[in-house]
Amino acid sequence: MDKRQIDELMTKVAAGDNGAFLRLYEETRRGVYAFAYSYLGNRADAEDIAQEVYLSVKRKAYLYRPGTDARAWLFQVAKNLCLDELRRRKRRAHPLDDLPQEPSVQPRLPALDLMTRSLSAEEKEIVLLHAVWDYKHREIAKMLSLPLGTVTWKYKKALKKLKKEWEESEV
């Protein structure tokens, strides 16, 4: 689904169209979850944040300005919620935090795990925006206020890191 179609859905959501909200959710949920997981490194927290993103969309869709990039708006909501969660984690040091947070029976997502442990926050952001959200490098550069060459270079560097980590993990 392209940016224009997502923008139209967001405009309809702001007008109270529940069918458009459901379609927006279906079209963007995997990307929102992957983005949250890359920040938080924990399935349960990523799922919680993804749900919060869509609750925020439902409550605050009227703030969205039609004609702007709805995917970028969703991405910013998700980023803000992830950063809030990371700040909460720092404030509450709890002895149970050392326990495994994910049941071992859940399926693993090796690519996301690999990204989480191998890439810097900025590299993860660039890879997710390009690979999951389908933004062009030029758009990412504008969103992150970085030169186009820097975004392209960091993307290629991140892919090399991931490839190296993937090959080493298979050995």
Side-chain angles (χ1 to χ4, degrees), residues 3 69 71-73 75-76 79 125 129 133 135-146 151:
K3 284 190 278 188
D69 191 344
R71 292 184 301 179
W73 193 78
F75 164 70
Q76 192 61 50
K79 181 177 181 179
E125 200 168 9
L129 285 171
W133 290 90
Y135 280 99
K136 306 286 186 241
H137 288 133
R138 185 173 315 285
E139 295 169 318
I140 296 168
K142 186 176 178 183
M143 287 171 63
L144 301 180
S145 300
L146 293 171
V151 169

Side-chain angles (χ1 to χ4, degrees), residues 116-166:
T116 300
R117 75 171 176 262
S118 304
L119 302 180
S120 70
E122 190 174 53
E123 289 170 333
K124 284 186 278 192
E125 200 168 9
I126 291 169
V127 169
L128 284 170
L129 285 171
H130 185 68
V132 176
W133 290 90
D134 204 28
Y135 280 99
K136 306 286 186 241
H137 288 133
R138 185 173 315 285
E139 295 169 318
I140 296 168
K142 186 176 178 183
M143 287 171 63
L144 301 180
S145 300
L146 293 171
L148 175 60
T150 301
V151 169
T152 304
W153 175 73
K154 287 185 181 225
Y155 180 76
K156 288 179 182 178
K157 181 180 159 193
L159 290 183
K160 284 181 186 177
K161 277 186 186 179
L162 288 172
K163 182 179 178 186
K164 181 180 177 193
E165 284 287 325
W166 184 267

Side-chain angles (χ1 to χ4, degrees), residues 24-37:
L24 177 73
Y25 171 77
E26 288 298 324
E27 292 293 332
T28 60
R29 68 186 168 90
R30 286 187 300 263
V32 168
Y33 171 81
F35 178 79
Y37 185 84

Side-chain angles (χ1 to χ4, degrees), residues 164-171:
K164 181 180 177 193
E165 284 287 325
W166 184 267
E167 288 169 352
E168 288 175 4
S169 70
E170 288 184 335
V171 175

Side-chain angles (χ1 to χ4, degrees), residues 70-139:
R71 292 184 301 179
W73 193 78
L74 283 171
F75 164 70
Q76 192 61 50
V77 170
K79 181 177 181 179
N80 291 342
L81 290 170
C82 286
L83 293 174
D84 288 346
E85 174 59 25
L86 292 172
R87 281 191 285 274
R88 277 193 294 276
R89 284 182 186 179
K90 283 184 182 178
R91 281 195 309 260
R92 67 170 194 259
H94 194 278
L96 296 178
D97 287 346
D98 295 334
L99 295 175
Q101 295 184 4
E102 300 179 27
S104 59
V105 295
Q106 282 190 336
R108 305 289 301 165
L109 297 175
L112 287 177
D113 290 338
L114 194 65
M115 276 183 57
T116 300
R117 75 171 176 262
S118 304
L119 302 180
S120 70
E122 190 174 53
E123 289 170 333
K124 284 186 278 192
E125 200 168 9
I126 291 169
V127 169
L128 284 170
L129 285 171
H130 185 68
V132 176
W133 290 90
D134 204 28
Y135 280 99
K136 306 286 186 241
H137 288 133
R138 185 173 315 285
E139 295 169 318

